[in-house]
Amino acid sequence: VVSSLRGRLRDGRLTGTFVKLPALESVDICAASLDFCVVDYEHSQLAEADVLHLVRHAAAVGFPAVVRIPEVDRGLVNRLLEAGAAGIQLSSVRRVAEVQALASATAYAPDGSRSISLAHPQAGYGAVPLRDYLTSAESPLVVIQLETRETDDPPAELCRAGADVAFLGLTDLLVDCDLDEGVAAVRAEALAAAAGEAGIVLGGFGAEERFRYSVVSSDVALLRE
């Protein structure tokens, strides 16, 4: 699943939506219509068990599910990946250290600090030999959200610190710019330029053509509409 998501992202533009409801039907409908979904463990009422259930279901039907988290928790990241998450999306990134911590948490040694186990579905609950599992395991997608008027480290350095996608959180950015649309637009352009300079994919919330990783709406917003 991850290789498909990563390969298709290299070749073109992908569209997904946020999943905020614990219903497996949300994943099924996304799988029938979209390229991926982002299970939202930041802005939803989902418990960890709900998130893992959704990710497992997505993996079972061969549909890429990225999970958005508010901060790097190595144990949580590992559980999500072992359940079958295609990637991890970290919100409100301001420091290079945050990006490095996320990239490290998603990679096994010697490239990262992810703990190894074979007692999970991605390794056949131990049926796959260690060497075979490590050889075949795909690297999960690493997505960082840039959505603030200021960052502790320069945006270009953030984009070069190990992420695959720089995701513009335009709503948070607008609020951080005191609802000044002009200021927010200038900042968004600067962040997009930083992603381009670093040679990573630009993503964002919305259907803009420049977003090759485009997240449009959510299951709850679509239901409300």
Side-chain angles (χ1 to χ4, degrees):
V1 171
V2 177
S3 60
S4 174
L5 178 64
R6 190 180 286 276
R8 291 171 67 192
L9 190 58
R10 281 196 300 267
D11 297 336
R13 181 172 181 271
L14 303 183
T15 302
T17 194
F18 283 114
V19 169
K20 300 172 181 283
L21 297 172
L24 299 184
E25 290 83 353
S26 287
V27 173
D28 290 334
I29 294 169
C30 288
S33 308
L34 300 169
D35 300 304
F36 68 100
C37 71
V38 181
V39 179
D40 195 352
Y41 199 30
E42 180 189 22
H43 292 298
S44 75
Q45 301 305 306
L46 295 174
E48 182 180 331
D50 298 323
V51 174
L52 292 171
H53 198 200
L54 290 165
V55 168
R56 283 292 302 121
H57 182 66
V61 300
F63 181 62
V66 176
V67 181
R68 177 163 72 172
I69 58 175
E71 59 187 0
V72 179
D73 177 328
R74 289 180 59 249
L76 172 64
V77 168
N78 203 24
R79 291 191 296 275
L80 294 171
L81 296 178
E82 289 183 348
I88 304 294
Q89 182 163 326
L90 179 64
S91 67
S92 301
V93 170
R94 294 177 172 85
R95 298 185 300 277
V96 165
E98 293 175 302
V99 185
Q100 293 173 334
L102 177 60
S104 178
T106 62
Y108 293 120
D111 299 317
S113 60
R114 181 181 172 190
S115 179
I116 184 71
S117 169
L118 299 178
H120 58 82
Q122 304 310 303
Y125 297 100
V128 179
L130 176 61
R131 185 178 298 276
D132 293 346
Y133 170 70
L134 289 173
T135 300
S136 62
E138 295 283 350
S139 299
L141 205 66
V142 175
V143 183
I144 57 169
Q145 291 189 196
L146 303 179
E147 50 193 353
T148 58
R149 189 172 183 175
E150 302 290 340
T151 53
D152 295 348
D153 295 314
E157 292 185 14
L158 297 176
C159 292
R160 288 194 294 263
D164 302 296
V165 179
F167 181 94
L168 301 186
L170 297 178
T171 303
D172 274 283
L173 179 59
L174 180 60
V175 172
D176 202 33
C177 292
D178 198 24
L179 302 183
D180 188 319
E181 294 183 359
V183 172
V186 170
R187 176 60 171 171
E189 289 300 323
L191 295 173
E197 180 184 334
I200 66 173
V201 170
L202 180 66
F205 185 71
E208 295 184 31
E209 285 298 322
R210 62 177 176 165
F211 295 158
R212 286 173 49 207
Y213 175 96
S214 172
V215 181
V216 181
S217 196
S218 68
D219 53 359
V220 293
L222 293 168
L223 180 59
R224 177 186 57 78
E225 292 173 5

